[in-house]
Structures are given as structure tokens and as C-alpha cells.
Amino acid sequence: MKNLLSRWRATVRNVLWLDALQAAAISAAPVILAVLAHEPRLGWTAIAAFWACFGDPGGPLRQRAGAMLALGLIGALFCFLASASASHLLLLLPLTFLCCTFGGLLRVLGPAAAIVGTLLSAGFVVAAELPARTLAESLSYTLFFLAGAVWAILMTALVWRRRPWKDATLAVAHCYRGLADFAAALAHLYSGLAPDAGPQAWSAVTRPHRGAQRAALEAARERIREVQDARPSRRARSHQLLYLLDSAEDSFIALVAAADLLESNAPRWLGRSAGAHLSHALHRYAALCNAIASTSDVNDPRQAECLRERLAHYGEGLRELRGSALAHAPDLAGMAPVLDRLQQTAQAVAQSLFDHGSTPAAPARERMAEHPARDAWRTLRQNLRFESDAFRHALRVGVGATIAVALSKTFAVNHGYWMSLTLVFILQPYFATTWQRTFERVLGSVAGAIGASLLGLLLGTPLSVALAVLPIALGTFAARTIHYALFTFFLTSQFVLVTHIQQPEIYEPTLAALRAFNSVLGGILALLVGFLVWPEKEPRQLAGALARALERHAAYTQALAERIAGDRGARDVVGLRREACLSADNAQASLQRLQQNPVHRDRNVDTAVNLLNAMRRITAAGTVLEIQPPLPAGTPAAAALRDYGRALAGALHPQPPAPGSDARPPGLPGAVAQAGPGVAGPLDRIAQQARLIRQLRERVERAPLSQ
């Protein structure tokens, strides 16, 4: 319960409340105007404004306005097609399939485009139920929809303009808060760890923190990449953010190395003095990272003084650790270089923040796409084949939406678009995630419908109902990053009230009951479509993800050995480590989907779990190697280490062997152990995991994961 509450506090702390308030005000204003002007069609404008704000990808103004304008224009076209063909079922159903398939295919362009595609599909199925009997009425609803998108764009561009690098700044601050949480978790675990605790105790703590921090680093890097060319006048700020992000990643690697050393030596290092001093040092580093994340004004002397105090406090902790603690646990000296690296990185960060005379140099940037539209079209064209998972999911969305609209029209389901809407939002590329999303949405919809009906009984006038939309919309935009069930609760309440304003003759409890009933129907239909229409082969995908992860870990291990051996032409260790970690995260996500699938349980799940744990321990030991000085080039120890690295890589990801070859990793060469004592321990841990992986691979060969 304590861990759950701490995660919720961290999530709520990262909610962008001001942005949520702005989006809520933009989407609630047309609702209030609809009541004052006695124009129910403005409720459709409010929905369009809400969807435009929901589809706002953030970043530079040009990117945000482009996404919102695309949503408005394509959504208006979908609105006209759906409302004009609503009374002609033979025309409506093919259009539903084509438009919703197009919306589902936009997922290949990234997460922001996936949201826009889902909203476009939702707009089509809702517009198919609009009371438009003539083409003129269809055109009027189209214009009202377009007006909502234009209203959101104008308010975003002219009134509530956001700094183009604000999201990037917040993303980098989120990385440092993640470092603080990671360090605090290590300090808490180490101080309370029993000597007989196994690796599972460490994995339960370090695995979620490592995954979350890696995701935060990648998200922040993407945000900086989006805004670094937005405003040339702020280019120095983007360079500083990149420097801070690189420093955060460097500190993250040091914390992973600390976790590996703690896990390997905890029983020997536990003691009243050593354990207490080490735990205190990590707690002080957590406070230091929180101070970096809270630095919002580099001209504020109080923030600078707070950061310097935290640095000094952490330095005192390191001196205490080197003093009395090392006397009780001499082996604890292996932690000193890791903690020193954390201190040096933090000092450099503080200098870059508050020393205006030393602006960090501009880092090398990745090549930006010259023609985004051309690249997007090429990506879409490449996925127009049945072998593409994204194309199969798009077809699945098109088939499901078509069935939902056909059922709604054939049986004249009252407010049947809520069933179609629920299906479009629930249906995911994987059945396991569809199952989880169905449960959360149905639960949130039923609870939100009950809450909206109770609220409708308390509010006696249409204006009071319209005013209540503002705080509920604020909850909707805030909860989207907290929990999907909570987001659905606020969303259902908001849409029930907006629908009541559009159709005041229907009593709120009736609308709430219809919303809950149709949401349950949409959830059931989504599960059937996800299970029956081209279901994914998750065991086969898991096997492929594990194979790719092993290959990248092998490349990382070999490159790391080459760097320690002093090779000047060694490959980029940082980039290979990032690829290895991301591949392991992808395999972990595939494994979680397999475990969440209610209709499939694979008997080799334990094997996959052990493989992933072994790969994480390899990267953890590798991070300890990264902070070690390289061996002198050209020595026998360097040559032996180079050969040993190739042998380890071959054991992790064996190539077609030559006759008589053996994929087992050999023992650590004695020359390497003598030349680099700090290198021997991490290499030995990597070799242990390589032997374990070989045994697990033999088990998989006897009973494949793809069965």
C-alpha cells in the first residue's frame, strides 16, 4: 500500500495542472455558450474542441497547430461523410470501414498520430448518429465541428501560448525526479535487507525503476529533439537541456552500477556502520536530485544556495562513508568510484545551471527529417501490406467499427454511438491490452455515469450544468496521465452532461444508464473482435523480442570489452547499451502482455523471466565496467580481454558454429585479472549470466516459446 501511494503521489506531482486547466477551459467554453445562445449544436463544437486539445502533441507551436488542424480538417470531412450517409446503410458501412481503418493506420506515425487517428475514428462513428436529415444539416454540423478545432487552435496560438521548450524542461526535470526515487529505493532496500534475501528482492525494486527511468530518458530526448530548432533565440537553452539530459543518463548508469554492486555484495556489506552510512549517502543523493529537478529559475539565489547545500551535504556523506564505514567493510571501497561519479556529475550540472560564464557546448545532433510529409507517406505506404502488424490492427479497427455501426443502425440502439465509441477507444493492437482496457473503461464508465446522474439531480439549471463541465474537464485532462479508469470516470461524466445540454428533453439518469449499458456492449464487442479478427501471436513475438535482445546484449558486451581493452576504433558503448536496454524493455512488455492474456498461459514464462533477469544483470555489470579505466593497449592482457569479449558475445548470441566449436564462455584469463582487478568482478558476473543464458536457451530449444 505504501508503494502504491508513493507511485500515485509521484504521478500526481508530474501532472501539468496549468495545461490541463487551459484545455478544460477551451473545451468548456462552447458548452457555456451553447446554453447562453440556445444553440445545442455548439455542444458538437465543444466535443471538437475537446478532441483537438486531447490530440495536442505538445512541443513547438507549428507542430501542435499542425496536428490540431489536421484533426479539425480530416475530422470535419469524416463528419460530413458520416452524417450525409447516415440514412443509407449500404453507403455508411463501407465508409465506416475505410475511414476507421485509416484512423487505425495512423498509429505507425507515432504515439501522437495514434491519438489523432483514434479521435478521427471516434468522430466518424459519433457523426453517424447526428440528427442531420439533409445535406444542409450535415454541412452545418461539419462547420460546427471545424469551428471547435479552429477555436482550440486560436486559443492555443494567441491566448495561452506555451514556451516551445517548456515540455522539454519538464521532461528533463522528471528524469531527475526518477533518479531521486531510484536512489531512495536503493537506500531503503539496502538498509532493511536481510543477509539471506535473494535476487528477487532486488529485482522487485530495481526493475520497475530501471524501466521507468529508461522510458523517461527516451521521452525527454524526443521532446528536446522536437523543440531544439523551434526558436533559434533559445538554442542555448536546448543545448543546456541536452547537457542536463546526458548528465542524467550518466547518473542513471552509475546508479545501475551501484545497484549491481549492492546486490552482489549485500550480505558482506551489511553492518551497523557500513549499511547506515551507505544508506544515508544514497538518501542525500536523492535529495540532491530533487533539488536539481526543482530548479526553475537560474537567477534565483535561493535555489542556487539550496543546490549547493545539497551538494555539500552529499559530499559530507561520502567522506563519512570513506572514514568509519570502510574500516568495518573494506570491500565497500568498490562503491567509492560509483558514488564519486555521481558527485562529479552533479557538480557539473550545478555549474551548468548557475555559472552563466560556462555554457555547455552544443552536442552533436541527429539529422532531422527534411520532408516530414514525404517520410510520413512513405511510412504509411510501407505498412500497406497484410504482414504489417499495424495494418492488421487498422483492419481490425475498421471491421470492429463497421460491426458496431451496423448493429446500432439495424437494431436502432438508443445512443448507439456510445457502443461504437467505446469499441474504437478500447480496441488495442494486442488482446491482453484490449482486455485490460475493457475492464478499466467499463468500470470508469459505469462509475462516471452514476456520478453524472447524481450531479444532474443536484444541478437545477442548464447553465449550472454547463459550468460544472469546467471542473470535470479539468479532471479529465489531469487524469489522462494518472490512470485510465479514473480518466474514463471524468470523461463519462463530462460527455453525459454535454449530451444533456444537446438533448435537454432526456433525463440525466436515463442518459447515464444508456452510457453505461452501451459501454458494456462496446467492451464485449471489442473483446470479441480482438480475439477473433487476426489475433496476435504473442508467444512468437516474445521469442523474437528475446532473440533481438540477446543479440544486442552480445554486441554491447563485445564493444565494452573492446573499449576496456583500449581499442581506439571501439563501437559506441553508450548507444549499444541504450539499444540493449530498450530491446529488453520491449521483450518485457511482450512478456507482460502474454501474462495478462486471459485465454493463454505459456508454460515457458518462467524461462523468459529468467532470460530477462539475466540480461538486466549483464547491463548492470556492464555499467560497472564502463566506469573502469581501460587497460594499456597492445599488452597481452588487452589482447586476452578482446578475445574474451568475443567469446562472451558468442555465448550470449551464438552464430552458426564451425565444426567442433563450443559456445560455452571460457574462464576469465589470468592476465586480465592481474592487469585490472576492478575489471575481473564485473566480467565474472557477465560470464555467470552467459552460462545461465546458455542453459535457458537449451531449455527453450527443447520446448520453444512460440508453441
Side-chain angles (χ1 to χ4, degrees):
M1 180 62 67
K2 181 183 292 185
N3 292 335
L4 181 62
L5 291 177
S6 64
R7 286 198 297 267
W8 273 77
R9 283 196 300 267
T11 304
V12 173
R13 180 181 59 186
N14 293 318
V15 172
L16 304 179
W17 291 101
L18 180 59
D19 296 340
L21 178 60
Q22 293 172 359
I26 292 173
S27 58
V31 181
I32 300 174
L33 183 61
V35 174
L36 297 178
H38 303 286
E39 177 53 75
R41 289 177 296 183
L42 283 171
W44 186 235
T45 302
I47 294 175
F50 171 82
W51 282 345
C53 294
F54 195 80
D56 181 3
L61 180 60
R62 179 181 301 176
Q63 174 179 317
R64 299 174 62 200
M68 298 167 75
L69 184 61
L71 177 61
L73 293 177
I74 302 177
L77 175 62
F78 282 14
C79 173
F80 179 77
L81 293 175
S83 59
S85 61
S87 58
H88 306 283
L89 192 60
L90 294 179
L91 178 60
L92 175 63
L93 295 184
L95 286 175
T96 302
F97 176 76
L98 291 175
C99 294
C100 292
T101 299
F102 171 77
L105 188 60
L106 291 180
R107 180 179 296 270
V108 300
L109 301 181
I115 294 175
V116 172
T118 302
L119 294 175
L120 289 174
S121 301
F124 186 93
V125 298
V126 173
E129 302 284 344
L130 291 175
R133 301 175 182 85
T134 64
L135 289 179
E137 292 181 351
S138 298
L139 183 60
S140 67
Y141 275 105
T142 300
L143 294 177
F144 274 103
F145 184 93
L146 187 59
V150 172
W151 159 253
I153 294 173
L154 291 177
M155 292 298 292
T156 300
L158 300 179
V159 179
W160 279 318
R161 297 189 62 179
R162 289 158 55 182
R163 294 170 295 178
W165 38 268
K166 177 182 177 181
D167 292 341
T169 303
L170 294 174
V172 174
H174 180 60
C175 292
Y176 280 94
R177 290 193 178 94
L179 290 175
D181 294 339
F182 192 9
L186 290 178
H188 177 74
L189 179 62
Y190 184 77
S191 61
L193 187 67
D196 57 347
Q200 292 80 9
W202 288 94
S203 297
V205 173
T206 59
R207 183 174 61 190
H209 281 285
R210 288 180 61 176
Q213 187 64 18
R214 172 56 57 192
L217 289 169
E218 295 302 320
R221 195 173 302 279
E222 181 65 26
R223 284 300 183 189
I224 296 175
R225 188 181 297 115
E226 291 173 352
V227 303
Q228 61 184 352
D229 290 327
R231 289 179 60 182
S233 60
R234 306 298 299 181
R235 190 163 294 168
R237 176 59 173 164
S238 68
H239 294 164
Q240 186 182 57
L241 288 177
L242 280 171
Y243 179 80
L244 294 175
L245 183 63
D246 291 340
S247 300
E249 184 163 5
D250 186 79
S251 301
F252 171 59
I253 295 309
L255 280 178
V256 172
D260 177 69
L261 291 171
L262 289 174
E263 180 181 355
S264 303
N265 300 279
R268 291 187 295 137
W269 288 355
L270 280 172
R272 182 176 302 176
S273 177
H277 283 86
L278 184 56
S279 180
H280 291 165
L282 290 172
H283 276 300
R284 292 177 180 182
Y285 180 73
L288 175 60
C289 289
N290 280 323
I292 295 174
S294 301
T295 302
S296 58
D297 184 4
V298 296
N299 296 317
D300 189 348
R302 290 176 298 180
Q303 293 185 4
E305 184 63 26
C306 176
L307 185 55
R308 294 189 181 100
E309 289 179 358
R310 299 285 175 86
L311 267 173
H313 198 49
Y314 177 59
E316 293 175 1
L318 293 185
R319 287 192 292 272
E320 294 174 359
L321 182 67
R322 286 190 175 89
S324 57
L326 290 181
H328 293 85
D331 293 336
L332 194 61
M335 282 288 293
V338 180
L339 299 177
D340 287 341
R341 180 167 179 169
L342 292 174
Q343 183 185 33
Q344 295 166 4
T345 305
Q347 290 173 343
V349 167
Q351 184 178 6
S352 69
L353 284 173
F354 296 105
D355 189 354
H356 301 287
S358 58
T359 302
R365 300 184 304 176
E366 298 181 5
R367 180 180 177 270
M368 303 293 290
E370 298 178 0
H371 302 286
R374 185 182 304 171
D375 292 341
W377 169 246
R378 182 168 57 251
T379 302
L380 289 173
R381 191 174 64 248
Q382 290 173 350
N383 282 274
L384 288 176
R385 49 192 179 89
F386 194 75
E387 293 78 10
S388 170
D389 294 337
F391 184 61
R392 287 200 301 270
H393 174 67
L395 293 176
R396 192 182 301 122
V397 173
V399 170
T402 304
I403 294 174
V405 171
L407 292 175
S408 175
K409 291 292 185 178
T410 302
F411 296 100
V413 180
N414 195 349
H415 286 74
Y417 66 86
W418 277 335
M419 176 178 62
S420 308
L421 191 70
T422 300
L423 180 139
V424 167
F425 279 113
I426 283 179
L427 200 56
Q428 300 295 309
Y430 303 99
F431 181 74
T433 51
T434 300
W435 172 268
Q436 181 180 4
R437 184 63 61 89
T438 300
F439 175 77
E440 294 174 347
R441 188 170 185 92
V442 170
L443 178 64
S445 296
V446 173
I450 296 174
S453 61
L454 294 176
L455 187 61
L457 294 176
L458 298 176
L459 302 176
T461 64
L463 182 59
S464 62
V465 173
L467 292 175
V469 172
L470 177 60
I472 294 176
L474 173 62
T476 302
F477 282 102
R480 62 183 295 192
T481 58
I482 298 177
H483 196 275
Y484 188 76
L486 184 63
F487 162 73
T488 306
F489 169 79
F490 284 106
L491 180 67
T492 300
S493 302
Q494 178 183 349
F495 271 69
V496 168
L497 296 180
V498 173
T499 305
H500 174 67
I501 291 175
Q502 290 181 293
Q503 300 172 333
E505 68 278 3
I506 303 180
Y507 197 41
E508 284 95 343
T510 304
L511 281 173
L514 289 172
R515 174 67 189 247
F517 176 73
N518 286 316
S519 295
V520 173
L521 290 181
I524 295 174
L525 183 58
L527 289 176
L528 291 175
V529 171
F531 180 70
L532 297 175
V533 181
W534 302 299
E536 77 282 356
K537 304 296 183 181
E538 194 60 58
R540 185 177 302 170
Q541 294 180 357
L542 174 59
L546 288 172
R548 288 189 294 272
L550 286 172
E551 180 181 4
R552 293 179 181 180
H553 278 76
Y556 167 64
T557 301
Q558 183 174 351
L560 187 59
E562 292 172 353
R563 191 192 72 82
I564 298 298
D567 288 357
R568 295 182 179 180
R571 291 170 290 178
D572 180 19
V573 173
V574 175
L576 290 174
R577 174 180 21 87
R578 184 182 297 120
E579 292 179 359
C581 292
L582 291 176
S583 63
D585 292 341
N586 292 335
Q588 179 68 39
S590 181
L591 175 62
Q592 289 176 349
R593 290 193 297 267
L594 180 64
Q595 293 174 316
Q596 293 169 358
N597 195 325
V599 297
H600 184 85
R601 289 291 185 269
D602 195 279
R603 64 179 180 271
N604 286 325
V605 164
D606 292 339
T607 302
V609 171
N610 293 330
L611 280 172
L612 287 169
N613 289 335
M615 284 187 277
R616 289 192 178 90
R617 293 192 180 97
I618 286 174
T619 53
T623 54
V624 180
L625 278 178
E626 288 187 36
I627 65 176
Q628 301 296 326
L631 301 178
T635 60
L641 179 57
R642 201 176 298 111
D643 295 337
Y644 188 65
R646 284 194 290 268
L648 288 178
L652 293 174
H653 185 70
Q655 302 297 325
S661 62
D662 189 358
R664 289 177 297 179
L668 181 67
V672 176
Q674 294 177 0
V679 174
L683 283 175
D684 185 62
R685 290 196 292 274
I686 293 176
Q688 292 176 6
Q689 302 307 317
R691 286 189 285 270
L692 175 61
I693 288 174
R694 181 176 179 272
Q695 298 173 0
L696 294 172
R697 187 186 295 109
E698 292 175 352
R699 185 185 307 173
V700 171
E701 291 174 354
R702 291 192 297 267
L705 288 168
S706 58
Q707 287 183 350

